[in-house]
Amino acid sequence: MGSYNTPQKERILSFLYLHMDRDLTVHEIIEGITNELPDENPIAESTVYRIMNNLTQLGLTSKKTDSNREFRYRLCNNDNNNSRISFHCKVCGKTYHIDEKVCNSIIKELHENCPVKINEDLMLTGVCSNCQQR
C-alpha cells in the first residue's frame, strides 16, 4: 500500500490523533472508531492491520507487543525523538507513562552502563498500586 490517503486511513489517523496518549490494539481502534467516528461503512479488521503496518513502516506510528503478545500502536509525536517508558499493569490492563525527566535519566543510565541501544519505547510490566491494594 502506498502512502495515499483512503477514507479508512483518514478515520484511523483521526482516531489515533485523538488518543495520542494511549497504546491501542487493533480491536480497540476498531471499537473506538465505531463509537467515536461512526460511518456507514465499518472498517474491516484486516484493513486496520494493513493500514497500521503501513503507518508503522512509514514511521507515523510506533508498534509494541504487550504482555498478552498483542500488538499495541500509538501515533508518533514527531515533536521530540525521546523514547518513552511505560508501565503496563497485568491485572487491570492500564498503561501508565513515566515522567519524561525520569525516562531520560533511566535511558541515560542504560546507555552508560549497559551494552544496549534503545531505539524504541520501553514497556515495563507488573501490577499497579491500585490492583495491589485489592
Side-chain angles (χ1 to χ4, degrees), residues 11-33 36 48-49 52 56 61-66 70-75 84 88 93 95 97 123:
R11 285 175 70 203
I12 289 170
L13 284 169
S14 294
F15 181 76
L16 291 173
Y17 181 76
L18 292 172
H19 299 279
M20 286 183 73
D21 62 328
R22 296 181 46 209
D23 297 319
L24 301 161
T25 66
V26 165
H27 296 287
E28 291 170 335
I29 293 169
I30 293 169
E31 183 179 326
I33 288 173
E36 295 178 33
V48 177
Y49 273 109
M52 294 311 299
T56 301
T61 59
S62 63
K63 175 178 159 181
K64 309 178 196 183
T65 305
D66 66 14
E70 194 168 13
F71 291 127
R72 299 187 83 73
Y73 301 90
R74 179 192 294 237
L75 192 63
R84 291 184 305 259
H88 181 77
T95 301
H97 302 287
M123 176 67 75

Side-chain angles (χ1 to χ4, degrees), residues 34-91:
T34 302
N35 294 333
E36 295 178 33
L37 303 171
D39 192 320
E40 294 176 10
N41 303 315
I43 299 176
E45 184 176 334
S46 60
T47 301
V48 177
Y49 273 109
R50 180 174 38 80
I51 290 172
M52 294 311 299
N53 186 51
N54 179 255
L55 293 174
T56 301
Q57 288 177 351
L58 292 171
L60 297 175
T61 59
S62 63
K63 175 178 159 181
K64 309 178 196 183
T65 305
D66 66 14
S67 60
N68 296 323
R69 296 184 179 186
E70 194 168 13
F71 291 127
R72 299 187 83 73
Y73 301 90
R74 179 192 294 237
L75 192 63
C76 290
N77 179 358
N78 292 326
D79 293 340
N80 64 38
N81 293 325
N82 295 334
S83 296
R84 291 184 305 259
I85 301 175
S86 304
F87 173 82
H88 181 77
C89 179
K90 296 188 286 187
V91 176

Side-chain angles (χ1 to χ4, degrees), residues 109-131:
E109 186 75 23
L110 286 171
H111 282 291
E112 291 174 359
N113 297 302
C114 298
V116 297
K117 182 171 177 164
I118 300 169
N119 295 329
E120 301 177 2
D121 295 343
L122 300 175
M123 176 67 75
L124 306 172
T125 59
V127 180
C128 72
S129 60
N130 291 335
C131 292

